[in-house]
Amino acid sequence: MKRFLKIYLEKPELAGAVLLVVLVVLFQLRSNGVFLSAENLRGMLGLLPEMGLVAIGVTVLMICGEFDLSVGSVFALMPMSVAIMLNADVPFAVAVLVGLAICALVGFINGFVTLRFAIPSFITTLGMLFMARSMTVVISGGFPPLLPADLPTWLFTRYVGPGGLIRMSFLWFGAIALLMAALLSLTNLGNWIKASGGFLEAAGAMGIPVNRVKITCFILSSMLAGFAGLVQVLRLGSPLPSIGDGLELQAVAAAVIGGTALTGGVGTVLGAIVGALLIRVIDNGLVLTQVDANWFKFAVGGLTIFAVIANSWLRRTARGIRVDQHA
Amino acid sequence: MTMPIIECRGLHKWYSGVHALKGVSLAITRGEIVGLVGDNGAGKSTLIKILSGVHRQNAGDVLIEGKPADIRTPKHAMRLGIETIYQYNATVPTMSIARNLFIGREPLQWSLFGIGLLDQARMRQESVKAIADVDLHLRSPDALVGELSGGQRQGVAIARGMHFKSKVFILDEPTNHLSVKETNKVIGFVKGLKTQGITGIFISHNMHHVFQSCDRVVAMARGEIVFDKPAADTSIDEVHDYL
């Protein structure tokens, strides 16, 4: 029994998951059952992949000990460049691949500059936040380009599943989340990511190519952010240069709520999803329970601080539980 | 005399104008535990950083079992059978014992371009055995290294080297920041190397630790070896006179 308690208390996403359940129950009661209705779930789950994908990328990067503040800007830059290519009659698939390659390049620059000049990634990606946003506005020419009408948007936006509960984008999100979770916990690269963030000197001394591991995570983070931006633009039907503004901090909040340590080495993909879902639940729940929506940021902020305190308390408690061999 | 397992011949190293190693030659035979002592800046760290692949010498040769070896990276040193136990401890506190044991050398079920699926069953099984082999009794290979004491962590690092059949252990002040009880445990590990026929180079500031565990004492000062005698034929006072 003690052993099980310890195992669960050590799960970094536990605090977030408990909060999620509490909030869902609370909103369900306060909204007289509307919150968990199929109609509302459709809306909520339809939006989740966009923020969830960004949170996963940011989480993996944080586990390996680095930050990415540029994800919000890349979220806008990627679909904007795709839209411009589409308007120049580039086929959809090619435009998307080139768009993802641009994201990969941004991620590579983030990582390369951070490691080559040994500066905090907080600074590098803060710079990239401004630069990528500026580029987005510049290439849009001030007027958001129109998307051609014959795009395979159904690949991302069509409702599927029982009762049309989820969008296609949710399937992409689920598949990517599973892939990333498997990468982290089942592969040697996942081991290296955790080791690089957990204790960089040890990872290097044991022969792990830490710089390559980190650059890989920077690239992943950028590509997931760009892909998420594309999903949102295809849902909205128009590439606005302002989308994703402030998303970088929400993604960090989601990661932290989900139990990712700011110091690196600790975190899970499930935690990132729990964090992202919590933020969506608050956003949606406040509206349904007729609370002034301006309280949204207040709630997310309070929750972030609370989750971190709860997590460190849980971890200390888990550590205090001594399990002997035969328990 | 049998062939030395590791030998340095005339090693020189300059760091931006500082002549850190001035022609160091040292031959160590299999199964020998050598205590390497000396003040800060005497060149001990430089010497072992060359042997563990962190730095490269500017002149001179390193031979492993008689064959010249150009040790380029820490990974390369490990492949040559040289395992280094660092004073800051090269384990990751946020990871489990089993995962720490195989960091950078994970057994894979399959792989593509070097990235692949971990063989976790094998990692757990073999880590249980490796830990028991160094007389360390831990409850589970899934426990986080961060929950272990400092001495136990060094034990995990030593078990790791043993598991990968390292021939030479370089122990870089492994007893720093440890309590007396934990220090004794680490000295026990060092003595255990000898019974398994493993060669050890034990770097320490503490002369007592060296005399407790080593066969031979080598002292360095100002980038040179100034003293080299079997531990049985010398005393702490004599070594001190040379430093």
Side-chain angles (χ1 to χ4, degrees), chain B residues 86-119:
Chain B
Y86 298 91
Q87 57 172 314
Y88 60 75
N89 193 298
T91 53
V92 182
T94 49
M95 291 169 75
S96 73
I97 295 169
R99 288 192 175 228
N100 261 290
L101 236 111
F102 290 94
I103 281 184
R105 291 178 281 198
E106 295 86 353
L108 301 175
Q109 291 177 9
W110 54 261
S111 70
L112 195 66
F113 305 117
I115 305 301
L117 201 63
L118 295 173
D119 188 346

PDB file of all heavy atoms in Angstrom, chain B residues 86-119:
ATOM      1  N   TYR B  86      33.870  10.530 -11.246  1.00  0.00           N
ATOM      2  CA  TYR B  86      34.177  11.925 -10.960  1.00  0.00           C
ATOM      3  C   TYR B  86      33.779  12.299  -9.540  1.00  0.00           C
ATOM      4  O   TYR B  86      32.888  11.708  -8.953  1.00  0.00           O
ATOM      5  CB  TYR B  86      33.430  12.831 -11.936  1.00  0.00           C
ATOM      6  CG  TYR B  86      33.849  12.602 -13.355  1.00  0.00           C
ATOM      7  CD1 TYR B  86      33.196  11.682 -14.149  1.00  0.00           C
ATOM      8  CD2 TYR B  86      34.921  13.301 -13.889  1.00  0.00           C
ATOM      9  CE1 TYR B  86      33.584  11.455 -15.456  1.00  0.00           C
ATOM     10  CE2 TYR B  86      35.316  13.090 -15.195  1.00  0.00           C
ATOM     11  CZ  TYR B  86      34.649  12.163 -15.977  1.00  0.00           C
ATOM     12  OH  TYR B  86      35.046  11.944 -17.255  1.00  0.00           O
ATOM     13  N   GLN B  87      34.447  13.331  -9.038  1.00  0.00           N
ATOM     14  CA  GLN B  87      34.117  13.762  -7.681  1.00  0.00           C
ATOM     15  C   GLN B  87      32.702  14.317  -7.618  1.00  0.00           C
ATOM     16  O   GLN B  87      32.030  14.178  -6.606  1.00  0.00           O
ATOM     17  CB  GLN B  87      35.118  14.784  -7.178  1.00  0.00           C
ATOM     18  CG  GLN B  87      35.246  16.015  -8.039  1.00  0.00           C
ATOM     19  CD  GLN B  87      36.120  17.057  -7.372  1.00  0.00           C
ATOM     20  OE1 GLN B  87      35.968  17.329  -6.201  1.00  0.00           O
ATOM     21  NE2 GLN B  87      37.047  17.631  -8.123  1.00  0.00           N
ATOM     22  N   TYR B  88      32.246  14.968  -8.686  1.00  0.00           N
ATOM     23  CA  TYR B  88      30.896  15.514  -8.647  1.00  0.00           C
ATOM     24  C   TYR B  88      29.877  14.422  -8.911  1.00  0.00           C
ATOM     25  O   TYR B  88      28.690  14.651  -8.839  1.00  0.00           O
ATOM     26  CB  TYR B  88      30.724  16.665  -9.628  1.00  0.00           C
ATOM     27  CG  TYR B  88      30.979  16.318 -11.071  1.00  0.00           C
ATOM     28  CD1 TYR B  88      30.060  15.593 -11.806  1.00  0.00           C
ATOM     29  CD2 TYR B  88      32.156  16.730 -11.691  1.00  0.00           C
ATOM     30  CE1 TYR B  88      30.304  15.271 -13.123  1.00  0.00           C
ATOM     31  CE2 TYR B  88      32.402  16.415 -12.998  1.00  0.00           C
ATOM     32  CZ  TYR B  88      31.467  15.686 -13.717  1.00  0.00           C
ATOM     33  OH  TYR B  88      31.711  15.362 -15.030  1.00  0.00           O
ATOM     34  N   ASN B  89      30.355  13.227  -9.213  1.00  0.00           N
ATOM     35  CA  ASN B  89      29.514  12.065  -9.441  1.00  0.00           C
ATOM     36  C   ASN B  89      28.761  12.136 -10.768  1.00  0.00           C
ATOM     37  O   ASN B  89      27.907  12.983 -10.961  1.00  0.00           O
ATOM     38  CB  ASN B  89      28.510  11.905  -8.307  1.00  0.00           C
ATOM     39  CG  ASN B  89      27.855  10.551  -8.375  1.00  0.00           C
ATOM     40  OD1 ASN B  89      27.184  10.246  -9.345  1.00  0.00           O
ATOM     41  ND2 ASN B  89      28.079   9.745  -7.388  1.00  0.00           N
ATOM     42  N   ALA B  90      29.080  11.224 -11.662  1.00  0.00           N
ATOM     43  CA  ALA B  90      28.473  11.255 -12.979  1.00  0.00           C
ATOM     44  C   ALA B  90      27.188  10.438 -13.039  1.00  0.00           C
ATOM     45  O   ALA B  90      26.995   9.618 -13.908  1.00  0.00           O
ATOM     46  CB  ALA B  90      29.473  10.778 -14.025  1.00  0.00           C
ATOM     47  N   THR B  91      26.316  10.639 -12.042  1.00  0.00           N
ATOM     48  CA  THR B  91      24.992  10.027 -12.132  1.00  0.00           C
ATOM     49  C   THR B  91      23.953  11.149 -12.170  1.00  0.00           C
ATOM     50  O   THR B  91      24.219  12.251 -11.716  1.00  0.00           O
ATOM     51  CB  THR B  91      24.698   9.115 -10.929  1.00  0.00           C
ATOM     52  OG1 THR B  91      24.928   9.848  -9.729  1.00  0.00           O
ATOM     53  CG2 THR B  91      25.574   7.883 -10.934  1.00  0.00           C
ATOM     54  N   VAL B  92      22.788  10.850 -12.716  1.00  0.00           N
ATOM     55  CA  VAL B  92      21.732  11.852 -12.845  1.00  0.00           C
ATOM     56  C   VAL B  92      20.695  11.596 -11.744  1.00  0.00           C
ATOM     57  O   VAL B  92      20.035  10.563 -11.755  1.00  0.00           O
ATOM     58  CB  VAL B  92      21.059  11.768 -14.229  1.00  0.00           C
ATOM     59  CG1 VAL B  92      19.987  12.839 -14.366  1.00  0.00           C
ATOM     60  CG2 VAL B  92      22.103  11.914 -15.320  1.00  0.00           C
ATOM     61  N   PRO B  93      20.562  12.528 -10.783  1.00  0.00           N
ATOM     62  CA  PRO B  93      19.701  12.276  -9.625  1.00  0.00           C
ATOM     63  C   PRO B  93      18.225  12.080  -9.978  1.00  0.00           C
ATOM     64  O   PRO B  93      17.518  11.388  -9.249  1.00  0.00           O
ATOM     65  CB  PRO B  93      19.887  13.522  -8.752  1.00  0.00           C
ATOM     66  CG  PRO B  93      20.626  14.507  -9.561  1.00  0.00           C
ATOM     67  CD  PRO B  93      21.305  13.792 -10.671  1.00  0.00           C
ATOM     68  N   THR B  94      17.785  12.666 -11.107  1.00  0.00           N
ATOM     69  CA  THR B  94      16.361  12.571 -11.436  1.00  0.00           C
ATOM     70  C   THR B  94      16.021  11.299 -12.199  1.00  0.00           C
ATOM     71  O   THR B  94      14.893  11.121 -12.635  1.00  0.00           O
ATOM     72  CB  THR B  94      15.934  13.784 -12.282  1.00  0.00           C
ATOM     73  OG1 THR B  94      16.874  13.932 -13.345  1.00  0.00           O
ATOM     74  CG2 THR B  94      15.912  15.042 -11.455  1.00  0.00           C
ATOM     75  N   MET B  95      17.013  10.416 -12.374  1.00  0.00           N
ATOM     76  CA  MET B  95      16.736   9.182 -13.113  1.00  0.00           C
ATOM     77  C   MET B  95      16.948   7.955 -12.222  1.00  0.00           C
ATOM     78  O   MET B  95      17.647   8.015 -11.217  1.00  0.00           O
ATOM     79  CB  MET B  95      17.620   9.110 -14.359  1.00  0.00           C
ATOM     80  CG  MET B  95      17.238  10.152 -15.383  1.00  0.00           C
ATOM     81  SD  MET B  95      18.442  10.301 -16.704  1.00  0.00           S
ATOM     82  CE  MET B  95      18.103   8.832 -17.636  1.00  0.00           C
ATOM     83  N   SER B  96      16.347   6.841 -12.645  1.00  0.00           N
ATOM     84  CA  SER B  96      16.409   5.631 -11.824  1.00  0.00           C
ATOM     85  C   SER B  96      17.810   5.010 -11.876  1.00  0.00           C
ATOM     86  O   SER B  96      18.618   5.348 -12.735  1.00  0.00           O
ATOM     87  CB  SER B  96      15.390   4.617 -12.326  1.00  0.00           C
ATOM     88  OG  SER B  96      15.827   4.069 -13.546  1.00  0.00           O
ATOM     89  N   ILE B  97      18.048   4.105 -10.954  1.00  0.00           N
ATOM     90  CA  ILE B  97      19.336   3.420 -10.898  1.00  0.00           C
ATOM     91  C   ILE B  97      19.579   2.652 -12.196  1.00  0.00           C
ATOM     92  O   ILE B  97      20.643   2.732 -12.799  1.00  0.00           O
ATOM     93  CB  ILE B  97      19.384   2.456  -9.695  1.00  0.00           C
ATOM     94  CG1 ILE B  97      19.321   3.256  -8.392  1.00  0.00           C
ATOM     95  CG2 ILE B  97      20.628   1.589  -9.725  1.00  0.00           C
ATOM     96  CD1 ILE B  97      19.092   2.417  -7.161  1.00  0.00           C
ATOM     97  N   ALA B  98      18.564   1.922 -12.644  1.00  0.00           N
ATOM     98  CA  ALA B  98      18.717   1.117 -13.859  1.00  0.00           C
ATOM     99  C   ALA B  98      19.082   2.014 -15.041  1.00  0.00           C
ATOM    100  O   ALA B  98      19.959   1.683 -15.835  1.00  0.00           O
ATOM    101  CB  ALA B  98      17.439   0.346 -14.147  1.00  0.00           C
ATOM    102  N   ARG B  99      18.414   3.159 -15.152  1.00  0.00           N
ATOM    103  CA  ARG B  99      18.697   4.034 -16.293  1.00  0.00           C
ATOM    104  C   ARG B  99      20.067   4.678 -16.176  1.00  0.00           C
ATOM    105  O   ARG B  99      20.760   4.881 -17.165  1.00  0.00           O
ATOM    106  CB  ARG B  99      17.610   5.088 -16.434  1.00  0.00           C
ATOM    107  CG  ARG B  99      16.330   4.465 -16.946  1.00  0.00           C
ATOM    108  CD  ARG B  99      15.324   5.484 -17.382  1.00  0.00           C
ATOM    109  NE  ARG B  99      14.183   4.796 -17.978  1.00  0.00           N
ATOM    110  CZ  ARG B  99      13.636   5.133 -19.129  1.00  0.00           C
ATOM    111  NH1 ARG B  99      14.090   6.157 -19.800  1.00  0.00           N
ATOM    112  NH2 ARG B  99      12.621   4.454 -19.603  1.00  0.00           N
ATOM    113  N   ASN B 100      20.463   4.997 -14.940  1.00  0.00           N
ATOM    114  CA  ASN B 100      21.779   5.579 -14.743  1.00  0.00           C
ATOM    115  C   ASN B 100      22.894   4.615 -15.124  1.00  0.00           C
ATOM    116  O   ASN B 100      23.912   5.011 -15.657  1.00  0.00           O
ATOM    117  CB  ASN B 100      21.948   5.996 -13.282  1.00  0.00           C
ATOM    118  CG  ASN B 100      21.701   7.466 -13.090  1.00  0.00           C
ATOM    119  OD1 ASN B 100      22.494   8.284 -13.535  1.00  0.00           O
ATOM    120  ND2 ASN B 100      20.591   7.807 -12.474  1.00  0.00           N
ATOM    121  N   LEU B 101      22.669   3.346 -14.823  1.00  0.00           N
ATOM    122  CA  LEU B 101      23.703   2.362 -15.091  1.00  0.00           C
ATOM    123  C   LEU B 101      24.030   2.273 -16.568  1.00  0.00           C
ATOM    124  O   LEU B 101      25.142   1.960 -16.955  1.00  0.00           O
ATOM    125  CB  LEU B 101      23.269   0.991 -14.568  1.00  0.00           C
ATOM    126  CG  LEU B 101      24.290   0.432 -13.599  1.00  0.00           C
ATOM    127  CD1 LEU B 101      23.753   0.395 -12.217  1.00  0.00           C
ATOM    128  CD2 LEU B 101      24.796  -0.890 -14.047  1.00  0.00           C
ATOM    129  N   PHE B 102      23.018   2.554 -17.383  1.00  0.00           N
ATOM    130  CA  PHE B 102      23.214   2.354 -18.826  1.00  0.00           C
ATOM    131  C   PHE B 102      23.268   3.663 -19.607  1.00  0.00           C
ATOM    132  O   PHE B 102      23.188   3.643 -20.824  1.00  0.00           O
ATOM    133  CB  PHE B 102      22.111   1.447 -19.369  1.00  0.00           C
ATOM    134  CG  PHE B 102      22.234   0.025 -18.897  1.00  0.00           C
ATOM    135  CD1 PHE B 102      21.552  -0.412 -17.780  1.00  0.00           C
ATOM    136  CD2 PHE B 102      23.066  -0.850 -19.565  1.00  0.00           C
ATOM    137  CE1 PHE B 102      21.687  -1.714 -17.336  1.00  0.00           C
ATOM    138  CE2 PHE B 102      23.203  -2.157 -19.131  1.00  0.00           C
ATOM    139  CZ  PHE B 102      22.517  -2.594 -18.006  1.00  0.00           C
ATOM    140  N   ILE B 103      23.381   4.795 -18.908  1.00  0.00           N
ATOM    141  CA  ILE B 103      23.406   6.085 -19.613  1.00  0.00           C
ATOM    142  C   ILE B 103      24.460   6.087 -20.714  1.00  0.00           C
ATOM    143  O   ILE B 103      25.611   5.778 -20.480  1.00  0.00           O
ATOM    144  CB  ILE B 103      23.694   7.244 -18.635  1.00  0.00           C
ATOM    145  CG1 ILE B 103      22.441   7.597 -17.875  1.00  0.00           C
ATOM    146  CG2 ILE B 103      24.198   8.471 -19.372  1.00  0.00           C
ATOM    147  CD1 ILE B 103      22.606   8.769 -16.966  1.00  0.00           C
ATOM    148  N   GLY B 104      24.033   6.425 -21.912  1.00  0.00           N
ATOM    149  CA  GLY B 104      24.964   6.520 -23.026  1.00  0.00           C
ATOM    150  C   GLY B 104      25.350   5.173 -23.621  1.00  0.00           C
ATOM    151  O   GLY B 104      25.964   5.116 -24.671  1.00  0.00           O
ATOM    152  N   ARG B 105      24.983   4.076 -22.925  1.00  0.00           N
ATOM    153  CA  ARG B 105      25.332   2.737 -23.437  1.00  0.00           C
ATOM    154  C   ARG B 105      24.128   1.818 -23.299  1.00  0.00           C
ATOM    155  O   ARG B 105      24.234   0.668 -22.887  1.00  0.00           O
ATOM    156  CB  ARG B 105      26.513   2.175 -22.649  1.00  0.00           C
ATOM    157  CG  ARG B 105      27.809   2.911 -22.902  1.00  0.00           C
ATOM    158  CD  ARG B 105      28.945   2.368 -22.083  1.00  0.00           C
ATOM    159  NE  ARG B 105      28.902   2.844 -20.712  1.00  0.00           N
ATOM    160  CZ  ARG B 105      29.938   2.802 -19.874  1.00  0.00           C
ATOM    161  NH1 ARG B 105      31.087   2.287 -20.270  1.00  0.00           N
ATOM    162  NH2 ARG B 105      29.831   3.250 -18.650  1.00  0.00           N
ATOM    163  N   GLU B 106      22.950   2.342 -23.638  1.00  0.00           N
ATOM    164  CA  GLU B 106      21.707   1.620 -23.417  1.00  0.00           C
ATOM    165  C   GLU B 106      21.605   0.398 -24.333  1.00  0.00           C
ATOM    166  O   GLU B 106      21.894   0.493 -25.523  1.00  0.00           O
ATOM    167  CB  GLU B 106      20.507   2.539 -23.685  1.00  0.00           C
ATOM    168  CG  GLU B 106      20.374   3.711 -22.731  1.00  0.00           C
ATOM    169  CD  GLU B 106      21.182   4.938 -23.145  1.00  0.00           C
ATOM    170  OE1 GLU B 106      21.955   4.840 -24.121  1.00  0.00           O
ATOM    171  OE2 GLU B 106      21.041   5.982 -22.499  1.00  0.00           O
ATOM    172  N   PRO B 107      21.184  -0.745 -23.782  1.00  0.00           N
ATOM    173  CA  PRO B 107      20.924  -1.898 -24.645  1.00  0.00           C
ATOM    174  C   PRO B 107      19.616  -1.640 -25.409  1.00  0.00           C
ATOM    175  O   PRO B 107      18.626  -1.208 -24.822  1.00  0.00           O
ATOM    176  CB  PRO B 107      20.762  -3.052 -23.659  1.00  0.00           C
ATOM    177  CG  PRO B 107      20.362  -2.426 -22.382  1.00  0.00           C
ATOM    178  CD  PRO B 107      20.931  -1.051 -22.357  1.00  0.00           C
ATOM    179  N   LEU B 108      19.637  -1.899 -26.720  1.00  0.00           N
ATOM    180  CA  LEU B 108      18.464  -1.581 -27.541  1.00  0.00           C
ATOM    181  C   LEU B 108      17.884  -2.835 -28.161  1.00  0.00           C
ATOM    182  O   LEU B 108      18.605  -3.774 -28.472  1.00  0.00           O
ATOM    183  CB  LEU B 108      18.854  -0.594 -28.646  1.00  0.00           C
ATOM    184  CG  LEU B 108      19.441   0.734 -28.179  1.00  0.00           C
ATOM    185  CD1 LEU B 108      19.886   1.551 -29.377  1.00  0.00           C
ATOM    186  CD2 LEU B 108      18.423   1.508 -27.359  1.00  0.00           C
ATOM    187  N   GLN B 109      16.570  -2.841 -28.315  1.00  0.00           N
ATOM    188  CA  GLN B 109      15.921  -3.968 -29.000  1.00  0.00           C
ATOM    189  C   GLN B 109      16.092  -3.840 -30.504  1.00  0.00           C
ATOM    190  O   GLN B 109      16.275  -4.800 -31.209  1.00  0.00           O
ATOM    191  CB  GLN B 109      14.449  -4.023 -28.618  1.00  0.00           C
ATOM    192  CG  GLN B 109      14.285  -4.420 -27.158  1.00  0.00           C
ATOM    193  CD  GLN B 109      12.846  -4.419 -26.723  1.00  0.00           C
ATOM    194  OE1 GLN B 109      11.943  -4.276 -27.531  1.00  0.00           O
ATOM    195  NE2 GLN B 109      12.617  -4.571 -25.434  1.00  0.00           N
ATOM    196  N   TRP B 110      15.995  -2.627 -30.984  1.00  0.00           N
ATOM    197  CA  TRP B 110      16.320  -2.352 -32.383  1.00  0.00           C
ATOM    198  C   TRP B 110      16.659  -0.881 -32.475  1.00  0.00           C
ATOM    199  O   TRP B 110      16.306  -0.103 -31.589  1.00  0.00           O
ATOM    200  CB  TRP B 110      15.160  -2.698 -33.332  1.00  0.00           C
ATOM    201  CG  TRP B 110      13.857  -2.047 -32.979  1.00  0.00           C
ATOM    202  CD1 TRP B 110      12.831  -2.621 -32.303  1.00  0.00           C
ATOM    203  CD2 TRP B 110      13.436  -0.699 -33.263  1.00  0.00           C
ATOM    204  NE1 TRP B 110      11.811  -1.711 -32.134  1.00  0.00           N
ATOM    205  CE2 TRP B 110      12.147  -0.537 -32.720  1.00  0.00           C
ATOM    206  CE3 TRP B 110      14.036   0.388 -33.933  1.00  0.00           C
ATOM    207  CZ2 TRP B 110      11.441   0.669 -32.812  1.00  0.00           C
ATOM    208  CZ3 TRP B 110      13.332   1.581 -34.020  1.00  0.00           C
ATOM    209  CH2 TRP B 110      12.050   1.706 -33.468  1.00  0.00           C
ATOM    210  N   SER B 111      17.335  -0.487 -33.526  1.00  0.00           N
ATOM    211  CA  SER B 111      17.658   0.926 -33.645  1.00  0.00           C
ATOM    212  C   SER B 111      17.799   1.337 -35.090  1.00  0.00           C
ATOM    213  O   SER B 111      18.000   0.517 -35.986  1.00  0.00           O
ATOM    214  CB  SER B 111      18.946   1.232 -32.895  1.00  0.00           C
ATOM    215  OG  SER B 111      20.039   0.667 -33.567  1.00  0.00           O
ATOM    216  N   LEU B 112      17.643   2.638 -35.280  1.00  0.00           N
ATOM    217  CA  LEU B 112      17.762   3.230 -36.605  1.00  0.00           C
ATOM    218  C   LEU B 112      18.636   4.460 -36.416  1.00  0.00           C
ATOM    219  O   LEU B 112      18.304   5.333 -35.610  1.00  0.00           O
ATOM    220  CB  LEU B 112      16.354   3.617 -37.096  1.00  0.00           C
ATOM    221  CG  LEU B 112      16.198   3.918 -38.568  1.00  0.00           C
ATOM    222  CD1 LEU B 112      16.431   2.677 -39.405  1.00  0.00           C
ATOM    223  CD2 LEU B 112      14.791   4.458 -38.832  1.00  0.00           C
ATOM    224  N   PHE B 113      19.761   4.537 -37.089  1.00  0.00           N
ATOM    225  CA  PHE B 113      20.714   5.638 -36.936  1.00  0.00           C
ATOM    226  C   PHE B 113      21.076   5.857 -35.465  1.00  0.00           C
ATOM    227  O   PHE B 113      21.182   6.992 -35.004  1.00  0.00           O
ATOM    228  CB  PHE B 113      20.149   6.931 -37.527  1.00  0.00           C
ATOM    229  CG  PHE B 113      19.724   6.796 -38.955  1.00  0.00           C
ATOM    230  CD1 PHE B 113      18.404   6.967 -39.324  1.00  0.00           C
ATOM    231  CD2 PHE B 113      20.657   6.474 -39.936  1.00  0.00           C
ATOM    232  CE1 PHE B 113      18.013   6.834 -40.637  1.00  0.00           C
ATOM    233  CE2 PHE B 113      20.274   6.343 -41.263  1.00  0.00           C
ATOM    234  CZ  PHE B 113      18.945   6.521 -41.613  1.00  0.00           C
ATOM    235  N   GLY B 114      21.187   4.781 -34.716  1.00  0.00           N
ATOM    236  CA  GLY B 114      21.633   4.920 -33.326  1.00  0.00           C
ATOM    237  C   GLY B 114      20.539   5.251 -32.330  1.00  0.00           C
ATOM    238  O   GLY B 114      20.777   5.304 -31.143  1.00  0.00           O
ATOM    239  N   ILE B 115      19.322   5.503 -32.806  1.00  0.00           N
ATOM    240  CA  ILE B 115      18.215   5.772 -31.898  1.00  0.00           C
ATOM    241  C   ILE B 115      17.290   4.562 -31.932  1.00  0.00           C
ATOM    242  O   ILE B 115      16.931   4.096 -33.005  1.00  0.00           O
ATOM    243  CB  ILE B 115      17.418   7.022 -32.340  1.00  0.00           C
ATOM    244  CG1 ILE B 115      18.338   8.236 -32.485  1.00  0.00           C
ATOM    245  CG2 ILE B 115      16.271   7.317 -31.366  1.00  0.00           C
ATOM    246  CD1 ILE B 115      19.069   8.621 -31.239  1.00  0.00           C
ATOM    247  N   GLY B 116      16.915   4.055 -30.771  1.00  0.00           N
ATOM    248  CA  GLY B 116      16.068   2.870 -30.796  1.00  0.00           C
ATOM    249  C   GLY B 116      15.363   2.606 -29.494  1.00  0.00           C
ATOM    250  O   GLY B 116      15.404   3.414 -28.557  1.00  0.00           O
ATOM    251  N   LEU B 117      14.714   1.440 -29.469  1.00  0.00           N
ATOM    252  CA  LEU B 117      13.877   1.066 -28.333  1.00  0.00           C
ATOM    253  C   LEU B 117      14.736   0.433 -27.239  1.00  0.00           C
ATOM    254  O   LEU B 117      15.471  -0.507 -27.488  1.00  0.00           O
ATOM    255  CB  LEU B 117      12.829   0.079 -28.838  1.00  0.00           C
ATOM    256  CG  LEU B 117      11.574  -0.084 -28.004  1.00  0.00           C
ATOM    257  CD1 LEU B 117      10.798   1.221 -27.942  1.00  0.00           C
ATOM    258  CD2 LEU B 117      10.708  -1.172 -28.598  1.00  0.00           C
ATOM    259  N   LEU B 118      14.596   0.944 -26.007  1.00  0.00           N
ATOM    260  CA  LEU B 118      15.365   0.415 -24.881  1.00  0.00           C
ATOM    261  C   LEU B 118      14.916  -1.004 -24.541  1.00  0.00           C
ATOM    262  O   LEU B 118      13.731  -1.313 -24.595  1.00  0.00           O
ATOM    263  CB  LEU B 118      15.140   1.285 -23.643  1.00  0.00           C
ATOM    264  CG  LEU B 118      15.627   2.710 -23.671  1.00  0.00           C
ATOM    265  CD1 LEU B 118      15.157   3.435 -22.425  1.00  0.00           C
ATOM    266  CD2 LEU B 118      17.138   2.740 -23.753  1.00  0.00           C
ATOM    267  N   ASP B 119      15.892  -1.838 -24.171  1.00  0.00           N
ATOM    268  CA  ASP B 119      15.569  -3.157 -23.657  1.00  0.00           C
ATOM    269  C   ASP B 119      15.465  -3.025 -22.139  1.00  0.00           C
ATOM    270  O   ASP B 119      16.414  -3.275 -21.402  1.00  0.00           O
ATOM    271  CB  ASP B 119      16.664  -4.147 -24.056  1.00  0.00           C
ATOM    272  CG  ASP B 119      16.290  -5.573 -23.707  1.00  0.00           C
ATOM    273  OD1 ASP B 119      15.326  -5.754 -22.938  1.00  0.00           O
ATOM    274  OD2 ASP B 119      16.962  -6.485 -24.205  1.00  0.00           O
TER     275      ASP B 119
END
